[in-house]
Amino acid sequence: MKYYKRTILVLACLMTNTLLFAQNTQNKIQISGAMKNVMRKGDLTSTIHLDTIKNKKGLYGLGPKEALKGELLIIDGKSYVSTMGTQGNIEMKETFDVKAPFFVFTNNDNWDVYDVPNTIKNGTDLENYLIQLKGSYSLPFVFKLKGVFNQVDFHIQNLPDGTIVKSPNDAHTGQGKFQINKCEGEIVGFFSTSHQSIFTHHDSYIHMHYINDDRTEMGHIDHLLLDGFHEVKLYLPK
């Protein structure tokens, strides 16, 4: 009888530890490299090969492509690469076989879904709204937006070969810039008040990439406008 009791106790402990491990891996933000090393020190070499990320279930992540030759986005376990074509067009590829000089990622498949208040008109309003919500989160977190966006301005890194990077202005040389209106798609963002110049810019708490529903356009968001009429949903980790 004592043997069976011990066995049951061990199994219960194992199940509890497994549950705690699953909870701890959800929403854990992982970072490779740092934006400041790329933008200010000119270190364009890769710090991560995306295919080495083992757990791809509910995986989300973003960053630039190695050598600043494109943009990367992982959304719900699928990895997309956007680059500039020779005619100034966007070329998209779905693959994990790509590297990044800095990258932020996490796993999450459990969301609370909210209607975005119609008072939120732009990216600054969204950032301030997330700051208000920050009290519910003690750590950085991933978020999503899905719906119809009034206007999205985004860029795709396209650094010319041989460019020496000593400042953000240098790093932005050759960017492909795009503006799209009344577009249906998704935005993946990462929020943190303690990672400026690591995975967000020095003057922002959020880093966002946009991808359209057809998966033919994707890039780093520079400006975002909402009109308060079209429905936009905000997804936050539970």
Side-chain angles (χ1 to χ4, degrees):
M1 181 64 70
K2 289 182 179 179
Y3 171 80
Y4 289 115
K5 286 183 177 179
R6 280 199 204 96
T7 302
I8 292 172
L9 180 61
V10 169
L11 288 173
C13 290
L14 287 173
M15 290 176 65
T16 300
N17 288 337
T18 300
L19 178 59
L20 288 173
F21 175 79
Q23 290 173 338
N24 289 337
T25 55
Q26 285 286 299
N27 305 327
K28 180 182 178 182
I29 301 297
Q30 300 186 68
I31 306 163
S32 179
M35 182 184 291
K36 61 184 178 182
N37 292 340
V38 177
M39 300 294 183
R40 299 192 179 278
K41 297 181 181 180
D43 186 356
L44 309 182
T45 57
S46 66
T47 63
I48 185 171
H49 186 172
L50 299 196
D51 203 34
T52 62
I53 302 175
K54 293 182 178 180
N55 182 12
K56 294 181 174 62
K57 181 181 178 182
L59 183 63
Y60 291 82
L62 52 79
K65 188 183 178 201
E66 183 182 26
L68 299 183
K69 293 290 190 180
E71 301 291 338
L72 309 179
L73 174 65
I74 301 176
I75 180 170
D76 196 17
K78 292 186 177 182
S79 177
Y80 298 93
V81 183
S82 66
T83 56
M84 294 298 299
T86 56
Q87 304 300 316
N89 57 303
I90 299 174
E91 295 184 349
M92 291 282 291
K93 187 176 183 180
E94 183 180 340
T95 180
F96 275 95
D97 187 15
V98 65
K99 299 177 181 180
F102 72 89
F103 200 74
V104 56
F105 61 101
T106 190
N107 298 84
N108 186 70
D109 54 12
N110 199 7
W111 304 90
D112 285 324
V113 185
Y114 304 91
D115 291 321
V116 173
N118 57 19
T119 54
I120 295 179
K121 302 295 186 182
N122 52 47
T124 300
D125 292 341
L126 174 64
E127 182 171 345
N128 290 333
Y129 183 61
L130 292 174
I131 290 172
Q132 294 175 22
L133 296 176
K134 182 182 177 293
S136 301
Y137 300 90
S138 60
L139 297 172
F141 59 88
V142 65
F143 64 92
K144 291 195 299 183
L145 295 169
K146 186 170 184 176
V148 178
F149 307 108
N150 192 43
Q151 180 180 312
V152 179
D153 295 353
F154 67 90
H155 72 251
I156 296 174
Q157 291 289 90
N158 189 37
L159 193 71
D161 292 337
T163 302
I164 297 174
V165 176
K166 295 183 178 180
S167 70
N169 286 337
D170 296 334
H172 295 158
T173 303
Q175 282 183 347
K177 294 182 177 293
F178 302 88
Q179 181 183 99
I180 49 178
N181 300 292
K182 298 295 188 294
C183 47
E184 295 185 43
E186 296 180 72
I187 291 171
V188 173
F190 283 78
F191 175 93
S192 176
T193 57
S194 56
H195 287 86
Q196 290 175 300
S197 297
I198 304 300
F199 64 77
T200 72
H201 285 289
H202 72 280
D203 57 354
S204 177
Y205 295 144
I206 56 176
H207 184 168
M208 301 185 293
H209 283 196
Y210 163 82
I211 188 167
N212 66 351
D213 283 347
D214 294 333
R215 300 316 195 232
T216 57
E217 299 174 333
M218 184 270 285
H220 174 108
I221 294 179
D222 296 315
H223 300 288
L224 172 67
L225 294 178
L226 306 179
D227 58 15
F229 297 105
H230 292 91
E231 183 179 67
V232 177
K233 296 290 187 180
L234 171 63
Y235 294 72
L236 293 174
K238 283 186 179 293

